[in-house]
Amino acid sequence: MHETRRAARQRRRRRGLVVGTTTGLAVTGLLVCLVMTMQADPREDAGRAPATAVADAQTGLPPASPDDKPDTASPPAPSTSPSAGAGTPAPSGTTSRTASPTTSAAPSPTSPKRPAATSPLTGRIRPEVTHQGVATVYQAGDGDGACSYGPSGDMMIAAMNTTDYETSKACGAHVLVRAENGASVTVRITNECPLPCAPGQLDLSEQAFAELAPVSTGRIPITWSLVSPDTPGTISIRYKTGSSPYWCGIQAIGHRNPLARLEVRTSGGWRRLARTDYNYFLSPDGSGCGGAIRLTDIHGERLTVDGIALRPEVVQSTRVQFTRH
């Protein structure tokens, strides 16, 4: 009897242990599952980290300003010049008719090196810029040319290619020309050399070319740059034939530095006149004709001239000159 009761009690203890053990294992398994479920996928963390770093880096940068634009300026293209009309000297001839302007998109050896910042008064010919090109030779006759200066007593003159002539902005400029053999000459631009003269090309008078090489050579490589010479004398003013109080053309002669602007004083203030390719500044309605004239060179210096009478084809001295640079 007692033996039967002890056996029964032992069987109950074993069942309790089994149930307890099973229950404990079930609870343990549930806790393990909960812990594993709550942990983040390490692959997701690895994927989020770089995006967070990029986002943090961007928040440290200042916002882009709408005024911050890339520098897209480009050298001015040559413009088509208006006709000079009857009586205007023709451009120079040239012995290098086989030459052709550069058409390649790649940088041309005749292209000048441009400074980082330039005055808005300058054209293609600027201070401290060295141009590369060729020199050819032409018979300059009495020295007259497209700049309409008339006969020249000094034959150290040249015709500028149409691109660098730039609607007569080159007229009166003094340029130092250097040859590969070390010879050099300073010439004044009095004429235009039309196509096929290429950018950078100068057509020199025979007298000027002979300072660099024998005239028979005909064509040589050169470099040239603008200079501000110790020019004797002062600037003169000339009114064009046909000028009157109702229409006039005005020309400046003998300026040391290239001329950027010519203005006349009117009842409404200073008026800037348009420049022609034959180097006169026109007042089509006569405003300011016979009055005060203001001249500005490419360096920004201004000279005001009074007392110039409206007398066509008469060269009148101003007694002023631009500063040497």
Side-chain angles (χ1 to χ4, degrees):
M1 184 73 164
H2 293 292
E3 196 60 38
T4 301
R5 290 176 180 171
R6 278 198 300 271
R9 283 197 298 270
Q10 289 175 355
R11 285 195 296 272
R12 284 197 296 269
R13 281 199 298 271
R14 284 197 295 270
R15 285 198 297 268
L17 288 172
V18 171
V19 171
T21 301
T22 303
T23 303
L25 290 174
V27 172
T28 301
L30 179 60
L31 290 174
V32 170
C33 290
L34 288 174
V35 170
M36 293 177 65
T37 303
M38 292 175 67
Q39 287 181 343
D41 187 347
R43 289 175 298 177
E44 293 180 358
D45 288 344
R48 280 196 297 267
T52 303
V54 171
D56 290 342
Q58 288 176 342
T59 56
L61 295 174
S65 168
D67 294 330
D68 292 338
K69 299 179 181 179
D71 184 8
T72 57
S74 62
S79 59
T80 302
S81 301
S83 172
T88 301
S92 76
T94 175
T95 59
S96 57
R97 300 261 177 216
T98 57
S100 59
T102 302
T103 57
S104 171
S108 167
T110 62
S111 300
K113 298 178 181 178
R114 300 183 182 279
T118 56
S119 165
L121 297 174
T122 60
R124 291 179 59 86
I125 302 177
R126 302 170 181 175
E128 300 179 1
V129 175
T130 299
H131 299 250
Q132 294 181 336
V134 296
T136 48
V137 59
Y138 81 107
Q139 294 180 347
D142 62 4
D144 198 4
C147 293
S148 307
Y149 289 135
S152 176
D154 180 6
M155 294 305 293
M156 295 296 121
I157 57 177
M160 181 64 71
N161 68 84
T162 295
T163 301
D164 294 322
Y165 183 78
E166 203 173 3
T167 317
S168 79
K169 286 183 180 179
C171 285
H174 295 81
V175 296
L176 175 63
V177 187
R178 296 184 183 276
E180 290 184 334
N181 61 10
S184 64
V185 64
T186 298
V187 297
R188 184 168 64 105
I189 303 304
T190 62
N191 209 346
E192 177 184 8
C193 184
L195 293 174
C197 276
Q201 183 173 345
L202 289 176
D203 211 17
L204 304 179
S205 68
E206 292 177 316
Q207 294 86 336
F209 193 95
E211 296 292 318
L212 304 178
V215 173
S216 59
T217 307
R219 181 185 182 95
I220 58 173
I222 58 164
T223 60
W224 56 271
S225 56
L226 180 68
V227 294
S228 181
D230 186 15
T231 306
T234 59
I235 300 172
S236 297
I237 295 294
R238 176 165 54 196
Y239 278 94
K240 188 169 176 55
T241 301
S243 293
S244 72
Y246 310 102
W247 177 94
C248 69
I250 308 174
Q251 180 186 56
I253 305 171
H255 40 85
R256 172 181 281 127
N257 307 317
L259 190 63
R261 294 177 181 172
L262 188 149
E263 300 165 284
V264 292
R265 182 181 289 153
T266 68
S267 57
W270 288 104
R271 177 184 179 184
R272 182 179 176 182
L273 301 186
R275 191 173 199 162
T276 67
D277 62 352
Y278 52 94
N279 197 33
Y280 273 88
F281 296 80
L282 302 185
S283 176
D285 59 2
S287 297
C289 295
I293 299 171
R294 186 164 69 183
L295 308 172
T296 305
D297 71 2
I298 63 171
H299 299 283
E301 183 179 0
R302 289 178 175 175
L303 302 175
T304 301
V305 181
D306 286 302
I308 302 298
L310 207 170
R311 300 169 58 193
E313 289 303 315
V314 177
V315 177
Q316 303 179 63
S317 176
T318 65
R319 299 183 182 179
V320 296
Q321 183 59 271
F322 291 121
T323 304
R324 187 180 183 188
H325 289 268

PDB file of all heavy atoms in Angstrom, residues 3 16 27 32-33 54 78 110 133 147 161 169-170 175 191 198 218 225 245 276 282 292 297 300 305 317:
ATOM      1  N   GLU A   3       3.880   1.281  -0.718  1.00  0.00           N
ATOM      2  CA  GLU A   3       4.714   1.266  -1.922  1.00  0.00           C
ATOM      3  C   GLU A   3       3.986   1.875  -3.098  1.00  0.00           C
ATOM      4  O   GLU A   3       4.566   2.611  -3.900  1.00  0.00           O
ATOM      5  CB  GLU A   3       5.047  -0.219  -2.244  1.00  0.00           C
ATOM      6  CG  GLU A   3       6.210  -0.415  -3.213  1.00  0.00           C
ATOM      7  CD  GLU A   3       7.467   0.161  -2.714  1.00  0.00           C
ATOM      8  OE1 GLU A   3       7.787   0.097  -1.502  1.00  0.00           O
ATOM      9  OE2 GLU A   3       8.188   0.757  -3.557  1.00  0.00           O
ATOM     10  N   GLY A  16       5.758  16.994 -13.040  1.00  0.00           N
ATOM     11  CA  GLY A  16       5.937  18.423 -12.725  1.00  0.00           C
ATOM     12  C   GLY A  16       7.231  18.947 -13.282  1.00  0.00           C
ATOM     13  O   GLY A  16       7.321  20.051 -13.781  1.00  0.00           O
ATOM     14  N   VAL A  27       9.097  29.587 -22.390  1.00  0.00           N
ATOM     15  CA  VAL A  27       9.255  31.005 -22.014  1.00  0.00           C
ATOM     16  C   VAL A  27      10.587  31.539 -22.514  1.00  0.00           C
ATOM     17  O   VAL A  27      10.697  32.641 -23.054  1.00  0.00           O
ATOM     18  CB  VAL A  27       9.134  31.156 -20.493  1.00  0.00           C
ATOM     19  CG1 VAL A  27       9.505  32.587 -20.071  1.00  0.00           C
ATOM     20  CG2 VAL A  27       7.732  30.821 -20.042  1.00  0.00           C
ATOM     21  N   VAL A  32      13.747  34.840 -26.389  1.00  0.00           N
ATOM     22  CA  VAL A  32      14.773  34.923 -27.434  1.00  0.00           C
ATOM     23  C   VAL A  32      14.187  35.490 -28.705  1.00  0.00           C
ATOM     24  O   VAL A  32      14.781  36.338 -29.385  1.00  0.00           O
ATOM     25  CB  VAL A  32      15.387  33.539 -27.682  1.00  0.00           C
ATOM     26  CG1 VAL A  32      16.273  33.556 -28.938  1.00  0.00           C
ATOM     27  CG2 VAL A  32      16.201  33.083 -26.489  1.00  0.00           C
ATOM     28  N   CYS A  33      12.970  35.024 -29.041  1.00  0.00           N
ATOM     29  CA  CYS A  33      12.310  35.538 -30.261  1.00  0.00           C
ATOM     30  C   CYS A  33      12.040  37.025 -30.162  1.00  0.00           C
ATOM     31  O   CYS A  33      12.223  37.784 -31.128  1.00  0.00           O
ATOM     32  CB  CYS A  33      11.012  34.773 -30.520  1.00  0.00           C
ATOM     33  SG  CYS A  33      11.285  33.061 -31.030  1.00  0.00           S
ATOM     34  N   VAL A  54      26.171  62.179 -45.742  1.00  0.00           N
ATOM     35  CA  VAL A  54      25.996  63.139 -46.825  1.00  0.00           C
ATOM     36  C   VAL A  54      25.026  64.228 -46.423  1.00  0.00           C
ATOM     37  O   VAL A  54      25.247  65.410 -46.653  1.00  0.00           O
ATOM     38  CB  VAL A  54      25.509  62.418 -48.101  1.00  0.00           C
ATOM     39  CG1 VAL A  54      25.120  63.428 -49.171  1.00  0.00           C
ATOM     40  CG2 VAL A  54      26.594  61.504 -48.630  1.00  0.00           C
ATOM     41  N   PRO A  78      33.767  90.046 -84.342  1.00  0.00           N
ATOM     42  CA  PRO A  78      33.883  91.204 -85.231  1.00  0.00           C
ATOM     43  C   PRO A  78      32.546  91.557 -85.844  1.00  0.00           C
ATOM     44  O   PRO A  78      31.794  90.694 -86.263  1.00  0.00           O
ATOM     45  CB  PRO A  78      34.871  90.711 -86.301  1.00  0.00           C
ATOM     46  CG  PRO A  78      34.809  89.226 -86.234  1.00  0.00           C
ATOM     47  CD  PRO A  78      34.506  88.883 -84.805  1.00  0.00           C
ATOM     48  N   THR A 110      47.047  82.819 -83.194  1.00  0.00           N
ATOM     49  CA  THR A 110      46.958  84.256 -83.404  1.00  0.00           C
ATOM     50  C   THR A 110      46.085  84.924 -82.350  1.00  0.00           C
ATOM     51  O   THR A 110      45.938  86.124 -82.358  1.00  0.00           O
ATOM     52  CB  THR A 110      46.378  84.563 -84.791  1.00  0.00           C
ATOM     53  OG1 THR A 110      45.042  84.032 -84.867  1.00  0.00           O
ATOM     54  CG2 THR A 110      47.220  83.946 -85.888  1.00  0.00           C
ATOM     55  N   GLY A 133      50.935  86.746 -84.800  1.00  0.00           N
ATOM     56  CA  GLY A 133      50.387  86.753 -86.143  1.00  0.00           C
ATOM     57  C   GLY A 133      51.491  86.781 -87.172  1.00  0.00           C
ATOM     58  O   GLY A 133      52.600  86.281 -86.929  1.00  0.00           O
ATOM     59  N   CYS A 147      41.455 104.852 -92.139  1.00  0.00           N
ATOM     60  CA  CYS A 147      41.253 105.701 -90.953  1.00  0.00           C
ATOM     61  C   CYS A 147      41.015 107.166 -91.318  1.00  0.00           C
ATOM     62  O   CYS A 147      40.738 107.982 -90.431  1.00  0.00           O
ATOM     63  CB  CYS A 147      42.444 105.595 -90.013  1.00  0.00           C
ATOM     64  SG  CYS A 147      42.635 103.961 -89.244  1.00  0.00           S
ATOM     65  N   ASN A 161      44.277  94.071 -89.517  1.00  0.00           N
ATOM     66  CA  ASN A 161      43.280  93.130 -90.025  1.00  0.00           C
ATOM     67  C   ASN A 161      41.884  93.534 -89.550  1.00  0.00           C
ATOM     68  O   ASN A 161      41.705  94.166 -88.509  1.00  0.00           O
ATOM     69  CB  ASN A 161      43.625  91.710 -89.567  1.00  0.00           C
ATOM     70  CG  ASN A 161      43.461  91.538 -88.063  1.00  0.00           C
ATOM     71  OD1 ASN A 161      42.373  91.278 -87.558  1.00  0.00           O
ATOM     72  ND2 ASN A 161      44.569  91.708 -87.323  1.00  0.00           N
ATOM     73  N   LYS A 169      38.258 101.130 -84.205  1.00  0.00           N
ATOM     74  CA  LYS A 169      38.783 101.316 -82.849  1.00  0.00           C
ATOM     75  C   LYS A 169      40.306 101.258 -82.820  1.00  0.00           C
ATOM     76  O   LYS A 169      40.940 101.810 -81.924  1.00  0.00           O
ATOM     77  CB  LYS A 169      38.211 100.254 -81.907  1.00  0.00           C
ATOM     78  CG  LYS A 169      36.761 100.470 -81.524  1.00  0.00           C
ATOM     79  CD  LYS A 169      36.304  99.417 -80.521  1.00  0.00           C
ATOM     80  CE  LYS A 169      34.849  99.624 -80.135  1.00  0.00           C
ATOM     81  NZ  LYS A 169      34.397  98.578 -79.175  1.00  0.00           N
ATOM     82  N   ALA A 170      40.901 100.568 -83.801  1.00  0.00           N
ATOM     83  CA  ALA A 170      42.359 100.456 -83.845  1.00  0.00           C
ATOM     84  C   ALA A 170      43.026 101.696 -84.425  1.00  0.00           C
ATOM     85  O   ALA A 170      44.252 101.855 -84.296  1.00  0.00           O
ATOM     86  CB  ALA A 170      42.763  99.227 -84.661  1.00  0.00           C
ATOM     87  N   VAL A 175      51.638 100.407 -82.191  1.00  0.00           N
ATOM     88  CA  VAL A 175      51.956  99.046 -81.786  1.00  0.00           C
ATOM     89  C   VAL A 175      53.429  98.745 -82.061  1.00  0.00           C
ATOM     90  O   VAL A 175      53.990  99.179 -83.066  1.00  0.00           O
ATOM     91  CB  VAL A 175      51.055  98.006 -82.501  1.00  0.00           C
ATOM     92  CG1 VAL A 175      49.614  98.192 -82.095  1.00  0.00           C
ATOM     93  CG2 VAL A 175      51.198  98.095 -84.007  1.00  0.00           C
ATOM     94  N   ASN A 191      45.247 102.247 -91.414  1.00  0.00           N
ATOM     95  CA  ASN A 191      44.513 101.599 -92.488  1.00  0.00           C
ATOM     96  C   ASN A 191      43.934 100.271 -92.010  1.00  0.00           C
ATOM     97  O   ASN A 191      44.256  99.788 -90.913  1.00  0.00           O
ATOM     98  CB  ASN A 191      45.443 101.373 -93.686  1.00  0.00           C
ATOM     99  CG  ASN A 191      44.711 101.384 -95.010  1.00  0.00           C
ATOM    100  OD1 ASN A 191      43.490 101.309 -95.061  1.00  0.00           O
ATOM    101  ND2 ASN A 191      45.456 101.476 -96.100  1.00  0.00           N
ATOM    102  N   ALA A 198      44.113  87.669 -91.578  1.00  0.00           N
ATOM    103  CA  ALA A 198      43.596  86.919 -90.437  1.00  0.00           C
ATOM    104  C   ALA A 198      43.770  87.699 -89.143  1.00  0.00           C
ATOM    105  O   ALA A 198      44.581  88.629 -89.069  1.00  0.00           O
ATOM    106  CB  ALA A 198      44.326  85.577 -90.341  1.00  0.00           C
ATOM    107  N   GLY A 218      58.314  89.334 -97.957  1.00  0.00           N
ATOM    108  CA  GLY A 218      56.867  89.389 -98.144  1.00  0.00           C
ATOM    109  C   GLY A 218      56.001  89.003 -96.969  1.00  0.00           C
ATOM    110  O   GLY A 218      54.925  89.570 -96.772  1.00  0.00           O
ATOM    111  N   SER A 225      52.265  94.363 -79.772  1.00  0.00           N
ATOM    112  CA  SER A 225      51.522  94.798 -78.582  1.00  0.00           C
ATOM    113  C   SER A 225      51.366  96.316 -78.608  1.00  0.00           C
ATOM    114  O   SER A 225      52.141  97.033 -79.235  1.00  0.00           O
ATOM    115  CB  SER A 225      52.249  94.362 -77.300  1.00  0.00           C
ATOM    116  OG  SER A 225      53.577  94.852 -77.295  1.00  0.00           O
ATOM    117  N   PRO A 245      25.536 122.835 -88.827  1.00  0.00           N
ATOM    118  CA  PRO A 245      24.789 122.734 -87.572  1.00  0.00           C
ATOM    119  C   PRO A 245      23.686 121.680 -87.613  1.00  0.00           C
ATOM    120  O   PRO A 245      23.079 121.385 -86.574  1.00  0.00           O
ATOM    121  CB  PRO A 245      24.188 124.141 -87.410  1.00  0.00           C
ATOM    122  CG  PRO A 245      25.093 125.035 -88.179  1.00  0.00           C
ATOM    123  CD  PRO A 245      25.514 124.210 -89.362  1.00  0.00           C
ATOM    124  N   THR A 276      32.156 105.411 -86.982  1.00  0.00           N
ATOM    125  CA  THR A 276      32.064 104.724 -88.263  1.00  0.00           C
ATOM    126  C   THR A 276      33.340 103.950 -88.540  1.00  0.00           C
ATOM    127  O   THR A 276      34.371 104.162 -87.873  1.00  0.00           O
ATOM    128  CB  THR A 276      31.856 105.732 -89.408  1.00  0.00           C
ATOM    129  OG1 THR A 276      33.041 106.527 -89.549  1.00  0.00           O
ATOM    130  CG2 THR A 276      30.673 106.647 -89.124  1.00  0.00           C
ATOM    131  N   LEU A 282      29.708 110.506 -85.764  1.00  0.00           N
ATOM    132  CA  LEU A 282      28.637 111.248 -86.432  1.00  0.00           C
ATOM    133  C   LEU A 282      27.548 111.731 -85.474  1.00  0.00           C
ATOM    134  O   LEU A 282      27.118 111.014 -84.566  1.00  0.00           O
ATOM    135  CB  LEU A 282      27.987 110.371 -87.507  1.00  0.00           C
ATOM    136  CG  LEU A 282      28.897 109.832 -88.609  1.00  0.00           C
ATOM    137  CD1 LEU A 282      28.061 109.083 -89.645  1.00  0.00           C
ATOM    138  CD2 LEU A 282      29.710 110.945 -89.258  1.00  0.00           C
ATOM    139  N   ALA A 292      31.431 122.146 -77.472  1.00  0.00           N
ATOM    140  CA  ALA A 292      32.497 121.477 -76.721  1.00  0.00           C
ATOM    141  C   ALA A 292      32.546 119.994 -77.065  1.00  0.00           C
ATOM    142  O   ALA A 292      31.509 119.361 -77.318  1.00  0.00           O
ATOM    143  CB  ALA A 292      32.280 121.669 -75.232  1.00  0.00           C
ATOM    144  N   ASP A 297      40.112 108.152 -73.675  1.00  0.00           N
ATOM    145  CA  ASP A 297      40.951 107.080 -74.219  1.00  0.00           C
ATOM    146  C   ASP A 297      40.615 105.756 -73.540  1.00  0.00           C
ATOM    147  O   ASP A 297      39.755 105.691 -72.652  1.00  0.00           O
ATOM    148  CB  ASP A 297      42.436 107.424 -74.104  1.00  0.00           C
ATOM    149  CG  ASP A 297      42.960 107.397 -72.673  1.00  0.00           C
ATOM    150  OD1 ASP A 297      42.188 107.074 -71.732  1.00  0.00           O
ATOM    151  OD2 ASP A 297      44.156 107.711 -72.469  1.00  0.00           O
ATOM    152  N   GLY A 300      40.536 105.473 -69.795  1.00  0.00           N
ATOM    153  CA  GLY A 300      39.509 106.199 -69.054  1.00  0.00           C
ATOM    154  C   GLY A 300      39.802 107.668 -68.834  1.00  0.00           C
ATOM    155  O   GLY A 300      39.006 108.373 -68.197  1.00  0.00           O
ATOM    156  N   VAL A 305      37.499 119.709 -74.754  1.00  0.00           N
ATOM    157  CA  VAL A 305      38.043 120.698 -75.683  1.00  0.00           C
ATOM    158  C   VAL A 305      36.948 121.703 -76.041  1.00  0.00           C
ATOM    159  O   VAL A 305      35.849 121.328 -76.436  1.00  0.00           O
ATOM    160  CB  VAL A 305      38.544 120.010 -76.974  1.00  0.00           C
ATOM    161  CG1 VAL A 305      39.120 121.034 -77.928  1.00  0.00           C
ATOM    162  CG2 VAL A 305      39.569 118.933 -76.641  1.00  0.00           C
ATOM    163  N   SER A 317      44.175 122.366 -83.826  1.00  0.00           N
ATOM    164  CA  SER A 317      44.864 121.851 -82.648  1.00  0.00           C
ATOM    165  C   SER A 317      44.041 122.079 -81.390  1.00  0.00           C
ATOM    166  O   SER A 317      43.354 123.092 -81.243  1.00  0.00           O
ATOM    167  CB  SER A 317      46.224 122.530 -82.497  1.00  0.00           C
ATOM    168  OG  SER A 317      46.866 122.098 -81.306  1.00  0.00           O
TER     169      SER A 317
END
